[in-house]
């Protein structure tokens, strides 16, 4: 259980709606569908309606600071089945990177690899009290695209299972990467989002992580989560 799972969920019923992709840049083909993930009746480009509204606000703030820059949508709504698919895929990827075979793993090696995987990935829980953030429709993974249509270099790719994913990793080493990450953070905070402390690309609104982070910085004005698991 993560610390944010202590936040109670009072489901508000805000519907899941399609992101107006024509207003954003889009990672295409979708990275997880390309790997074989099945999203079922919804595409990965859905979010709660109020989250989409705030994402549009963030894009407007961005363009005030950087004319013709856009937010790039990498991934948004994610059913628990897709969360499980990506956790399993990432475990296999971690094995491959280390030149290991699962059948030959010691208990210590297995535990270490799962620790690395769950440093980035939420547990694909079906418990209504501990939903993966993306399965609530309240979380989105994003990057920026500049006015030339180029993806902004953040110093590490989305989903990298390393400390380079930590938002402030480049604070004291590469000021350009850090400035790019800070710009992304600034426009999202302005629209009411909170950023995952472990991932520069993950932002949320209305889910347990958002509420927990909000309560850390506003202890006198605590909130509950509004979005629970959808599938």
């Amino acid at each position: 259980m993560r610390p944010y799972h202590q936040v109670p969920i009072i489901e508000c019923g805000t519907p899941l709606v399609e992101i107006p992709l024509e207003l954003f840049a889009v990672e295409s083909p979708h990275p997880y569908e390309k790997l074989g993930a099945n999203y079922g009746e919804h595409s990965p480009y859905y979010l709660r309606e109020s989250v989409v509204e705030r994402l549009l606000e963030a894009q407007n703030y961005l363009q005030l600071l950087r004319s013709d820059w856009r937010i790039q949508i990498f991934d948004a709504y994610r059913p628990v089945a897709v969360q499980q698919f990506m956790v399993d895929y990432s475990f296999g990827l971690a094995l491959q990177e280390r030149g290991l075979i699962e059948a030959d793993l010691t208990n210590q090696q297995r535990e270490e690899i799962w620790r690395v995987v769950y440093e980035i990935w939420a547990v694909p829980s079906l418990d209504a009290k501990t939903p993966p953030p993306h399965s609530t429709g309240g979380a989105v993974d994003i990057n920026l695209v500049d006015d030339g249509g180029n993806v902004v270099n953040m110093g590490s790719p989305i989903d990298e299972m390393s400390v380079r994913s930590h938002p402030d990793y480049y604070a004291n080493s590469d000021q350009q990467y850090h400035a790019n990450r800070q710009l992304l953070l600034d426009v999202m905070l302005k629209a009411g989002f909170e950023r995952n402390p472990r991932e520069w690309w993950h932002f949320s609104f209305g889910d347990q992580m958002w509420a927990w982070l909000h309560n850390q910085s506003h202890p006198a004005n605590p909130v509950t989560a509004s979005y629970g698991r959808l599938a």
Side-chain angles (χ1 to χ4, degrees):
M1 179 178 288
R2 300 281 172 85
Y4 57 81
H5 285 143
Q6 300 170 15
V7 177
I9 302 169
I10 302 177
E11 173 61 52
C12 67
T14 300
L16 199 65
V17 299
E18 192 168 4
I19 301 169
L21 297 180
E22 69 277 6
L23 302 180
F24 298 93
V26 182
E27 174 83 9
S28 183
H30 185 271
Y32 304 156
E33 287 187 316
K34 186 168 60 175
L35 295 174
N38 182 1
Y39 280 77
E41 63 181 9
H42 292 297
S43 85
Y45 300 118
Y46 275 68
L47 286 169
R48 298 283 188 142
E49 187 173 34
S50 54
V51 182
V52 172
E53 292 169 357
R54 288 177 180 271
L55 199 56
L56 288 166
E57 288 181 24
Q59 173 122 294
N60 290 336
Y61 291 133
L62 171 65
Q63 293 186 342
L64 289 175
L65 300 173
R66 299 285 192 278
S67 179
D68 295 327
W69 283 40
R70 289 184 294 163
I71 291 172
Q72 182 192 56
I73 311 296
F74 181 88
D75 190 49
Y77 170 67
R78 192 185 301 158
V80 175
V82 174
Q83 187 75 19
Q84 183 68 63
F85 177 92
M86 289 308 303
V87 163
D88 293 341
Y89 172 84
S90 297
F91 182 84
L93 184 62
L95 286 178
Q96 183 180 356
E97 290 174 347
R98 291 160 175 76
L100 299 172
I101 299 173
E102 183 173 5
D104 296 336
L105 292 178
T106 66
N107 288 337
Q108 183 177 352
Q109 287 175 318
R110 186 180 300 274
E111 289 175 5
E112 173 61 19
I113 292 175
W114 278 121
R115 186 195 65 77
V116 170
V117 170
Y118 285 129
E119 179 76 14
I120 292 294
W121 296 95
V123 175
S125 170
L126 288 171
D127 186 336
K129 295 179 180 179
T130 60
H134 281 274
S135 299
T136 71
V140 62
D141 295 336
I142 57 174
N143 201 339
L144 298 175
V145 170
D146 67 20
D147 52 3
N150 304 301
V151 177
V152 174
N153 192 338
M154 298 289 181
S156 67
I158 290 176
D159 289 344
E160 180 173 281
M161 292 182 288
S162 85
V163 294
R164 297 199 309 170
S165 294
H166 295 177
D168 292 330
Y169 177 78
Y170 288 107
N172 299 312
S173 58
D174 191 303
Q175 291 305 302
Q176 188 59 61
Y177 291 154
H178 185 67
N180 292 343
R181 294 180 180 196
Q182 192 62 41
L183 174 61
L184 181 61
L185 173 64
D186 289 345
V187 299
M188 294 300 281
L189 288 179
K190 185 79 171 174
F193 288 90
E194 295 284 355
R195 181 177 64 184
N196 186 328
R198 298 181 179 182
E199 302 172 359
W200 62 257
W201 60 84
H202 177 119
F203 293 86
S204 60
F205 176 81
D207 65 0
Q208 287 175 303
M209 182 182 291
W210 169 84
W212 180 71
L213 290 168
H214 172 91
N215 293 345
Q216 298 295 303
S217 55
H218 301 84
N221 185 31
V223 297
T224 58
S226 301
Y227 307 146
R229 179 172 57 83
L230 290 169

